[in-house]
Amino acid sequence: MNGDTLTVIDSRTGKEAILPIITGTDGPPVVDIAKLSKELGLFTLDPGFRSTASCRSRITFIDGDKGVLLYRGYPIDQLAEKSSFVEVCYLLKNGELPTKEQYTKYEKIVTEHTMVHEQLLNSFKGYRRDAHPMAIMVGVVGALSAFYHDSLDIHNPRHREVSSFRLIAKIPTIAAASYKYSVGQPFVYPKNDLSYTENFLRMLFKVPSQRFKMSPVLIRAMDQILILHADHEQNASTSTVRLAGSSQANPFAAISAGIGALWGPAHGGANEAVLNMLDEIGDVSNVGEFVKRAKDPKDPFRLMGFGHRVYKNYDPRAKVLKQACHDVLSELGQHDDPKFKLALALEKIATEDEYFVEKKLYPNVDFYSGIIQSAIGIPTNMFTVIFAVARTIGWITQWDEMIEGGEAIGRPRQLYTGEGFRDYVHISQRE
Ligand code: CMC
């Protein structure tokens, strides 16, 4: 706080409240509005939180106008190029990059927790085979609290640490099992001498009758996808995790709530929607027609993978993924991939179009990630699951920060627009 204030005068009563303006390390300052209700009896209305900071946080920073994303101060493009997903997990959770010794110890602990309780694997059989894997994820991650109740005391830092390791380590195993179950293949147990990402891909693709082998270029691209999706400050799913966790629910329950929020096509489901949209567009010659539809206010169609609540510039994650897309497709000898060509044409036309330019709608992280995952062999309905695997570290770190900060239960207010008080009328007297 630097002494700056905002004075609010209630024109009905002439009463005033002097509200402190608080400045963070970076980003727009915020007005602390606590006195509004205490001194003037007023609440604020901000549906969709377009103008509201819901918490203080030291983890991730986004400058949407400049297209900048920092994890603990480090720019996302440098992390995507030079770091690994496990190192990024350490950074997010601990606030600093690890030394060699710290990294080795951290990776070993994550690796040692990759197996899940056998009964948990049995619980998959309770789902229909044709269930969406995200439906299974919501259920099974929530069910972790039925298996690991020795680490559920949220006020005990050691319990929080153990739960966090369990979540980061087990989420790929659960994600891979949700896929294997849906395709009727046996579950693959983790192989702990592989890297986090190679192990995950092996659990997804290995079948008993064949050896698993994947090009390091593809493994690296998947690792980058995990890095780029690891955290994104107070987005819908993270805010859900914080809100659910603020009631002192256990971390597995809170993260299961976050997975539910992530599922929607306006959030994590968008990369699945991008591929469906590219299928629907079909050919470069149809791009103009679909761009026209996206601009028509009467047509609900939107260009999936375009636009972002915070970025009003090119999403820095999309830049990294566009390059990764080139790398993966060349490695596979698929330079002429029709979906990639279509995506490039769509990006060119949309980013030159007045509507998109004026509304600052640029490709977001989901625009290219689906094409890469598809090339790696990941089915479309698993894309959001991959996002959940990556975002688990962000969720658990944000949850931990909230619990440690002793935040009160989240309880927004409302502007009531329903009926006023009225007396109950017996059914025999209603017309
Ligand atoms: N195609 C066409 N028009 C669009 C699009 C789009 N993809 N996105 C926004 N607009 C228009 C929108 O119709 C509105 O127009 P108007 O001012 O005339 O009413 C204007 O741009 C502002 O849009 P908004 O919906 O008020 O913006 P928002 O911040 O509420 O929505 C969004 C952000 C991501 C939900 C939205 O851009 C969208 O639906 N995009 C497509 C879905 C998508 O790609 N989602 C992934 C988001 S990134 C992943 C993540 O971080 O979770």
Side-chain angles (χ1 to χ4, degrees):
M1 203 162 2
N2 52 11
D4 291 335
T5 57
L6 177 80
T7 303
V8 177
I9 302 172
D10 185 342
S11 62
R12 300 165 309 163
T13 58
K15 274 191 183 172
E16 68 171 44
I18 299 171
L19 310 178
I21 296 177
I22 306 171
T23 310
T25 317
D26 208 337
V30 302
V31 181
D32 179 346
I33 58 165
K35 279 188 185 169
L36 269 186
S37 66
K38 274 193 210 131
E39 295 181 7
L40 303 183
L42 292 173
F43 291 97
T44 53
L45 177 66
D46 184 22
F49 298 104
R50 285 174 191 271
S51 316
T52 298
S54 62
C55 61
R56 293 166 196 257
S57 182
R58 299 161 59 85
I59 303 166
T60 294
F61 174 73
I62 304 172
D63 185 330
D65 292 328
K66 293 194 189 131
V68 168
L69 167 60
L70 311 176
Y71 291 166
R72 300 285 191 181
Y74 294 100
I76 194 66
D77 49 325
Q78 287 186 23
L79 292 171
E81 191 198 328
K82 299 176 182 163
S83 185
S84 69
F85 180 63
V86 172
E87 188 178 62
V88 164
C89 288
Y90 183 99
L91 170 68
L92 284 167
K93 193 74 187 46
N94 298 288
E96 297 295 337
L97 286 167
T99 60
K100 241 185 189 167
E101 292 74 36
Q102 286 167 333
Y103 179 81
T104 310
K105 190 171 164 213
Y106 185 82
E107 195 186 31
K108 184 170 179 292
I109 299 173
V110 170
T111 302
E112 281 170 359
H113 282 86
T114 47
M115 280 184 71
V116 296
H117 196 292
E118 202 63 16
Q119 281 296 110
L120 189 81
L121 287 181
N122 289 340
S123 76
F124 278 75
K125 296 196 182 108
Y127 293 90
R128 279 173 58 139
R129 290 264 179 203
D130 59 356
H132 194 290
M134 279 299 274
I136 301 182
M137 291 293 285
V138 171
V140 174
V141 173
L144 286 173
S145 44
F147 289 87
Y148 301 102
H149 29 71
D150 57 338
S151 64
L152 295 186
D153 178 1
I154 63 151
H155 302 297
N156 180 332
R158 177 67 188 140
H159 279 215
R160 295 206 302 275
E161 192 185 16
V162 172
S163 285
S164 123
F165 274 122
R166 281 178 167 156
L167 273 156
I168 303 159
K170 293 179 199 311
I171 199 91
T173 314
I174 295 170
S178 74
Y179 169 60
K180 286 297 193 193
Y181 184 72
S182 71
V183 290
Q185 291 177 5
F187 297 140
V188 177
Y189 287 95
K191 196 164 183 298
N192 291 347
D193 56 347
L194 300 179
S195 74
Y196 185 93
T197 304
E198 187 171 6
N199 182 37
F200 177 35
L201 289 165
R202 180 181 171 275
M203 287 192 288
L204 279 173
F205 294 124
K206 167 112 182 76
V207 284
S209 48
Q210 271 172 24
R211 268 188 66 218
F212 168 80
K213 187 123 192 63
M214 189 174 267
S215 147
V217 175
L218 307 196
I219 296 167
R220 177 72 190 133
M222 178 52 83
D223 203 63
Q224 284 189 318
I225 287 178
L226 298 183
I227 292 173
L228 296 172
H229 288 81
D231 195 41
H232 213 225
E233 52 121 303
Q234 307 313 317
N235 56 84
S237 57
T238 302
S239 299
T240 303
V241 170
R242 278 187 178 254
L243 194 57
S246 78
S247 75
Q248 304 189 7
N250 72 68
F252 303 114
I255 281 168
S256 161
I259 295 175
L262 183 74
W263 194 355
H267 191 6
N271 52 12
E272 181 173 346
V274 170
L275 272 224
N276 293 339
M277 176 189 74
L278 292 177
D279 274 340
E280 199 187 340
I281 298 177
D283 188 76
V284 176
S285 61
N286 299 326
V287 167
E289 181 203 325
F290 279 86
V291 169
K292 200 169 151 206
R293 278 188 61 194
K295 295 191 293 186
D296 180 354
K298 288 189 214 102
D299 191 329
F301 176 78
R302 282 186 167 195
L303 280 193
M304 299 316 286
F306 267 80
H308 198 276
R309 171 62 63 80
V310 185
Y311 293 115
K312 302 303 168 196
N313 201 327
Y314 210 102
D315 181 336
R317 302 168 299 172
K319 266 188 203 152
V320 176
L321 287 179
K322 191 172 175 182
Q323 182 56 47
C325 212
H326 275 291
D327 298 347
V328 165
L329 294 174
S330 338
E331 174 70 9
L332 295 170
Q334 298 172 5
H335 319 81
D336 292 333
D337 178 75
K339 282 212 180 77
F340 188 43
K341 279 192 157 169
L342 188 52
L344 289 174
L346 192 62
E347 179 188 335
K348 188 166 185 320
I349 293 175
T351 47
E352 284 169 0
D353 188 288
E354 204 182 310
Y355 172 96
F356 287 85
V357 173
E358 195 196 303
K359 292 188 190 302
K360 299 184 176 162
L361 301 170
Y362 294 87
N364 60 45
V365 68
D366 295 308
F367 194 61
Y368 289 108
S369 71
I371 300 173
I372 300 176
Q373 294 185 58
S374 196
I376 292 177
I378 291 167
T380 318
N381 66 358
M382 278 297 290
F383 292 175
T384 321
V385 175
I386 306 284
F387 194 156
V389 169
R391 187 54 59 85
T392 295
I393 180 61
W395 289 329
I396 197 75
T397 304
Q398 300 263 355
W399 169 83
D400 203 28
E401 182 183 68
M402 180 194 66
I403 300 290
E404 210 174 83
E407 254 173 57
I409 184 167
R411 176 43 168 105
R413 302 300 289 253
Q414 63 170 9
L415 175 67
Y416 178 64
T417 56
E419 299 289 345
F421 179 93
R422 47 185 175 166
D423 282 319
Y424 180 81
V425 179
H426 191 269
I427 195 162
S428 61
Q429 292 165 343
R430 287 178 223 152
E431 299 195 344

